[in-house]
Amino acid sequence: TQLLEQSPQFLSIQEGENLTVYCNSSSVFSSLQWYRQEPGEGPVLLVTVVTGGEVKKLKRLTFQFGDARKDSSLHITAAQPGDTGLYLCAGARRGNNDMRFGAGTRLTVKP
Amino acid sequence: NAGVMQNPRHLVRRRGQEARLRCSPMKGHSHVYWYRQLPEEGLKFMVYLQKENIIDESGMPKERFSAEFPKEGPSILRIQQVVRGDSAAYFCASLYTRDTEAFFGQGTRLTVV
């Protein structure tokens, strides 16, 4: 079982639609990060959330960290084909050294 | 991110050979993680190193795999006697400290033939 469970695993939508992807765990994290990875490339950091209940916005992307710091969500408004990619969440638990990743949500936005 | 350099980008090895994957972290970063990624999957943690120390290798197979991060030079992930199942993309990430953001290299794609 994954420490961080991401859902859905795959998502295919039309350009202009909104979507939300989730990252859940039974563990508490000191911080959670969201990355986007395109084919053939390494993951690129989008945002880090640190405080329980925190909401961060990056243009059309809205990131939320759960109050209990066990889960996070990423909402994309008016998706564009350029948003296509693998979205990964990652975090390090308090007192642990290992930064773990979820399995990712593979998003396809069709024009 | 261009700051973390991995080489080679592509590596082909025959079964039984050794593979050496290099990762030069960003300037000033002394923490390195290695991950393995199979096609259509997420990143699987392998090992976490600080300069000259292995902090956590719980994700790395106990046989054939080893990692180091010397005082000088890049971090090395070494796979001895490679098998077809070792074929994957291997990514390293560097951090300034454990709790700061991770920056990834572009990965090394290992193919075992």
Side-chain angles (χ1 to χ4, degrees):
Chain A
T1 49
Q2 291 272 357
L3 178 65
L4 288 162
E5 296 285 345
Q6 288 193 247
S7 61
Q9 187 176 357
F10 297 95
L11 186 58
S12 181
I13 61 171
Q14 292 294 133
E15 182 176 2
E17 293 183 1
N18 301 331
L19 66 114
T20 302
V21 297
Y22 301 92
C23 174
N24 296 301
S25 177
S26 57
S27 298
V28 176
F29 290 86
S30 53
S31 67
L32 271 178
Q33 292 151 12
W34 284 91
Y35 293 81
R36 188 174 92 186
Q37 184 181 23
E38 298 188 23
E41 301 294 329
V44 175
L45 180 69
L46 295 173
V47 79
T48 298
V49 286
V50 178
T51 307
E54 181 178 6
V55 176
K56 280 191 174 179
K57 292 194 174 186
L58 187 67
K59 295 183 181 177
R60 293 177 294 102
L61 279 59
T62 302
F63 304 85
Q64 187 161 9
F65 200 12
D67 290 340
R69 295 160 72 185
K70 293 181 179 181
D71 52 81
S72 181
S73 64
L74 159 59
H75 181 79
I76 302 179
T77 304
Q80 299 175 1
D83 295 327
T84 294
L86 177 66
Y87 288 81
L88 297 157
C89 68
R93 291 166 292 172
R94 279 189 173 276
N96 281 264
N97 296 306
D98 53 349
M99 188 174 72
R100 299 300 179 106
F101 279 77
T105 292
R106 196 166 296 277
L107 172 66
T108 302
V109 182
K110 300 175 185 176
Chain B
N1 286 277
V4 180
M5 302 303 295
Q6 286 190 250
N7 65 81
R9 288 292 307 273
H10 300 275
L11 181 61
V12 179
R13 283 286 178 266
R14 294 185 185 279
R15 281 178 294 172
Q17 290 185 320
E18 178 180 286
R20 277 182 180 245
L21 288 62
R22 295 175 189 79
C23 170
S24 297
M26 289 180 69
K27 188 176 181 180
H29 286 193
S30 59
H31 298 241
V32 166
Y33 284 86
W34 283 94
Y35 294 88
R36 172 184 153 119
Q37 187 177 39
L38 294 171
E40 306 297 312
E41 293 189 8
L43 294 162
K44 182 180 176 186
F45 167 79
M46 296 183 73
V47 62
Y48 166 44
L49 309 108
Q50 286 180 269
K51 284 281 187 181
E52 300 183 272
N53 290 304
I54 297 174
I55 306 301
D56 186 339
E57 56 183 349
S58 60
M60 199 158 66
K62 294 202 177 348
E63 296 183 356
R64 302 190 298 109
F65 285 73
S66 62
E68 63 177 8
F69 190 12
K71 186 177 180 181
E72 302 290 338
S75 176
I76 305 287
L77 178 66
R78 182 181 176 207
I79 310 173
Q80 295 177 287
Q81 299 174 340
V82 296
V83 300
R84 287 227 172 104
D86 296 332
S87 295
Y90 292 84
F91 290 95
C92 78
S94 81
L95 299 83
Y96 179 65
T97 66
R98 185 182 79 86
D99 293 327
T100 54
E101 297 160 348
F103 294 89
F104 281 83
Q106 291 186 297
T108 293
R109 277 143 194 85
L110 172 66
T111 303
V112 179
V113 297

